[in-house]
């Protein structure tokens, strides 16, 4: 008899709020701003991938430009958005979310 465990749940986004950042400043993302869960995967296995970079700032992971990061990175305060475009006040970032299974 072989038993195969199947990851049959998709991650669910719990929070995805609009960020308000002062001109030429930055904000650390927290789980109140961006949070996902999956009953079968820990926070380190929930991976956000940047599919569209911000045009008027940078999304940073530990002070380096982020191409991906995990929910655990958010929970630990390692992800931030930095506004870099002077008078440009609106920005947009697209992320995809997957689990590690």
């Amino acid at each position: 008899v072989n038993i195969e465990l199947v990851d049959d749940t998709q991650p669910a986004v719990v929070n995805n709020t609009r960020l308000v950042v002062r001109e030429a400043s930055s904000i650390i993302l927290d789980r109140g701003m961006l949070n996902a869960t999956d009953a079968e995967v820990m926070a380190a296995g929930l991976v956000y991938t940047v599919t569209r970079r911000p045009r008027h700032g940078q999304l940073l992971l530990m002070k380096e430009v982020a191409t991906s990061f995990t929910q655990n990175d958010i929970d630990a305060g390692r992800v931030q958005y930095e506004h870099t475009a002077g008078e440009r006040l609106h920005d947009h970032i697209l992320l995809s979310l997957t689990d590690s299974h």
Side-chain angles (χ1 to χ4, degrees):
V1 174
N2 288 331
I3 298 174
E4 182 178 341
L5 299 176
V6 177
D7 177 13
D8 58 355
T9 62
Q10 296 295 316
V13 176
V14 178
N15 289 330
N16 180 13
T17 61
R18 179 175 290 192
L19 303 178
V20 177
V21 182
R22 292 184 181 271
E23 183 179 327
S25 65
S26 63
I27 188 169
I28 295 174
L29 278 66
D30 64 33
R31 63 186 2 239
M33 299 168 185
L34 184 59
N35 186 25
T37 62
D38 186 320
E40 298 173 338
V41 178
M42 301 292 286
L46 296 172
V47 180
Y48 297 91
T49 301
V50 180
T51 58
R52 179 178 175 227
R53 294 187 172 286
R55 293 184 182 182
H56 308 301
Q58 299 180 46
L59 193 61
L60 304 172
L61 173 62
M62 298 175 59
K63 308 227 184 255
E64 299 291 329
V65 174
T67 57
S68 66
F69 54 91
T70 67
Q71 183 64 49
N72 190 56
D73 291 323
I74 293 171
D75 296 348
R78 294 187 289 252
V79 181
Q80 70 180 29
Y81 171 82
E82 178 180 61
H83 180 258
T84 60
E87 297 298 317
R88 305 258 185 202
L89 300 180
H90 298 282
D91 211 346
H92 187 77
I93 304 165
L94 281 178
L95 303 170
S96 66
L97 173 64
T98 57
D99 62 26
S100 60
H101 292 280

